[in-house]
Amino acid sequence: MPRSSVLFPLLLLLLPPLAPGLGLLRAGGRRPECGPCRPERCPALVRCPAPGIPARDECGCCPRCLGSEGASCGGRAGARCGPELVCASRAAGAAPEGTGLCVCAQRGAVCGSDGRSYPSICALRLRARHAPHGHPGHLHKAYDGPCEFAPVVIIPPRSVHNVTGAQVYLSCEVRAAPPPVITWRKVTQSPEGTQVLEDLPGDHVNVAVQVRGGPSDHEATAWILINPLRKEDEGVYQCHSANAVGEAKSHGTVTVSDLRIYKAFHFPAPDDRM
């Protein structure tokens, strides 16, 4: 074996430490510019957004908070992100120069084994880490994407009362995943006495139906508007929602008074007041 190949590793051991400007650590894992660790001089630590994750500053001395998902990172303070999070740059002008945002390295919502949806796998693992009486594997990802669940009527339609010629509307707010199909039906009875569900608007020119997402995630709101109101529009209206998991329904009643009778009852003619 050549002598040079044996002497070269020995020469490396005799060389002095590299310059501090290179950012390398001395023996013991401490930076050259850190100096002795004095815990009594460490600033008081506030409650961390991601508690229970041990972290120290760059000198390995003072305890330090790690940023949770959505927290600011980088900047002059050198704020760091928690486990499995990365510091992503923000758009220009959205934050002080040099700062970023802690985001999960694995994007996308997930469904947990507890049946709850989490915005990311990082949020699920953070929940599992701090869940009381937890044990390894007690909370894990069931599948990618939000958890699926059958529709639930959050705000049912309210019963309304008005006179002919006016307008009324009923609304229905539903929560479900995947998004449900919401329909309005009028509940009537056939001559034989059986219940009949009439899909709306159908041929009713005075009936309009609208559905839109919101106001929150996995929610949808549906309206039915009747204008002008007719006596034959009186009855029970059903808000029906369904998705691949299940269905839900709720009812509201529309009561109609004849405007002519209403006026005669509440505003008698001058001669009738005598």
Side-chain angles (χ1 to χ4, degrees):
M1 178 181 295
R3 294 179 60 187
S4 60
S5 61
V6 177
L7 293 175
F8 184 71
L10 297 176
L11 290 174
L12 289 177
L13 296 176
L14 298 176
L15 289 175
L18 294 175
L22 296 179
L24 300 179
L25 301 181
R26 290 183 185 271
R30 294 180 55 76
R31 294 181 182 275
E33 64 272 18
C34 287
C37 177
R38 297 182 178 179
E40 68 276 6
R41 295 188 177 181
C42 293
L45 187 64
V46 297
R47 187 176 183 275
C48 295
I53 304 175
R56 299 281 174 178
D57 59 15
E58 288 79 0
C59 292
C61 179
C62 298
R64 186 173 186 176
C65 287
L66 293 179
S68 57
E69 194 168 3
S72 297
C73 56
R76 292 184 178 181
R80 294 180 294 165
C81 300
E84 302 181 59
L85 302 178
V86 295
C87 187
S89 298
R90 300 194 192 190
E97 185 177 356
T99 61
L101 201 66
C102 293
V103 298
C104 189
Q106 301 180 44
R107 303 291 184 90
V110 297
C111 178
S113 56
D114 58 351
R116 294 180 54 184
S117 297
Y118 294 85
S120 68
I121 186 65
C122 299
L124 183 148
R125 289 172 179 165
L126 182 64
R127 172 77 176 182
R129 186 181 293 114
H130 303 299
H133 310 297
H135 56 83
H138 76 286
L139 176 59
H140 57 275
K141 182 181 78 172
Y143 52 83
D144 291 319
C147 296
E148 295 184 350
F149 55 92
V152 177
V153 178
I154 302 174
I155 302 179
R158 298 176 59 184
S159 297
V160 294
H161 177 203
N162 215 325
V163 297
T164 55
Q167 73 172 24
V168 298
Y169 77 92
L170 301 176
S171 65
C172 179
E173 192 172 313
V174 179
R175 178 173 169 82
V181 175
I182 305 179
T183 55
W184 284 97
R185 300 166 176 173
K186 186 175 182 184
V187 182
T188 58
Q189 285 190 342
S190 67
E192 293 78 18
T194 58
Q195 188 181 78
V196 177
L197 299 177
E198 179 188 4
D199 290 331
L200 298 172
D203 296 330
H204 299 273
V205 295
N206 65 326
V207 176
V209 172
Q210 182 182 9
V211 180
R212 74 175 184 184
S216 302
D217 292 341
H218 312 305
E219 292 183 4
T221 305
W223 294 269
I224 181 168
L225 174 68
I226 308 174
N227 183 30
L229 190 62
R230 303 173 303 186
K231 186 61 179 177
E232 55 264 34
D233 295 319
E234 189 172 74
V236 177
Y237 290 79
Q238 180 192 90
C239 171
H240 180 269
S241 56
N243 64 7
V245 186
E247 62 179 348
K249 53 190 175 182
S250 188
H251 300 81
T253 302
V254 175
T255 305
V256 183
S257 297
D258 190 289
L259 180 59
R260 294 168 299 177
I261 300 176
Y262 181 84
K263 283 184 176 181
F265 180 77
H266 289 275
F267 306 102
D271 294 340
D272 297 335
R273 298 177 184 175
M274 300 300 293

